[in-house]
Amino acid sequence: GQLFQEFMRLKAKLEGEGLFDEERKRPLPAFPARIGIVTSSTGAALQDMLNTLQNRFPLAEVLLAATMVQGQDAPPKIVQALQTLNAIGDVDVILLARGGGSLEDLWVFNDERVVRAIVTSRVPVVTGIGHETDFTLSDFAADVRAPTPTGAAVLATPDRMDLLRQLYSLNATLVDALEDRL
């Protein structure tokens, strides 16, 4: 009850400032060379994302800004991790993720400092927080919201199998055109 009321109050405030406006959201790069991840180094979410990124687009370099993603001390640590990845200079997209949990477990992603850090990020941010039915203020602020951490990795990368099919199709078109010319 009280947490939900605080959620709605802060949501209205930040929405009124335009932090959730669709017009300010940026598209994701088609072929990210460097992907930053902000999450716990010990959670299953990290391994799921790393496996997905490796299977989908192994060309991308992954940079981990490990941080706490639960508890009272987590919001400033998440902000610091986002700022660290932004300071690197050539990160193409940032995945901010955490596996499922209760409303209280995910509350750090409703912290105003975290929301503002997402909005001020010069790098597009994809959130993958909790499970499909979980929504946080960070999700509203992000450039793209994924339903899960694995979903964030999927949305941030092209599928190498699709790329290979396109490449084979282009190759066949080139061969046909060359044969026609000859």
Side-chain angles (χ1 to χ4, degrees):
Q2 186 176 1
L3 277 182
F4 182 72
Q5 287 177 348
E6 176 60 16
F7 176 88
M8 295 306 290
R9 182 198 67 73
L10 190 53
K11 181 177 185 254
K13 174 188 171 190
L14 299 174
E15 197 167 35
E17 292 180 28
L19 300 186
F20 304 153
D21 290 352
E22 288 299 316
E23 298 82 41
R24 65 152 215 78
K25 299 193 181 211
R26 298 157 295 184
L28 301 180
F31 303 101
R34 292 183 105 185
I35 299 170
I37 297 179
V38 175
T39 195
S40 169
S41 62
T42 60
L46 175 61
Q47 287 310 310
D48 290 345
M49 287 187 294
L50 291 174
N51 289 337
T52 300
L53 292 171
Q54 181 62 35
N55 288 333
R56 286 183 61 81
F57 197 60
L59 298 174
E61 179 184 358
V62 177
L63 304 173
L64 175 63
T67 186
M68 303 169 67
V69 290
Q70 183 174 328
Q72 192 172 18
D73 297 332
K77 303 279 188 191
I78 293 169
V79 169
Q80 183 180 8
L82 287 166
Q83 291 171 342
T84 297
L85 289 173
N86 271 274
I88 289 172
D90 59 352
V91 175
D92 298 310
V93 65
I94 295 173
L95 310 181
L96 173 59
R98 181 210 142 81
S102 68
L103 177 63
E104 293 81 7
D105 292 340
L106 302 178
W107 191 254
V108 298
F109 297 101
N110 293 321
D111 188 283
E112 186 172 351
R113 296 167 291 182
V114 174
V115 171
R116 291 188 185 281
I118 291 168
V119 171
T120 59
S121 173
R122 66 163 191 75
V123 179
V125 176
V126 179
T127 54
I129 300 166
H131 296 301
E132 293 189 29
T133 57
D134 297 318
F135 278 89
T136 67
L137 297 178
S138 290
D139 292 318
F140 293 114
D143 295 287
V144 176
R145 177 207 176 256
T148 62
T150 301
V154 168
L155 288 175
T157 55
D159 182 18
R160 75 176 172 165
M161 295 311 293
D162 289 341
L163 294 174
L164 283 172
R165 280 189 284 279
Q166 290 173 3
L167 187 59
Y168 289 137
S169 176
L170 288 172
N171 184 55
T173 301
L174 280 172
V175 168
D176 289 346
L178 183 59
E179 288 175 351
D180 287 347
R181 281 296 265 194
L182 291 176

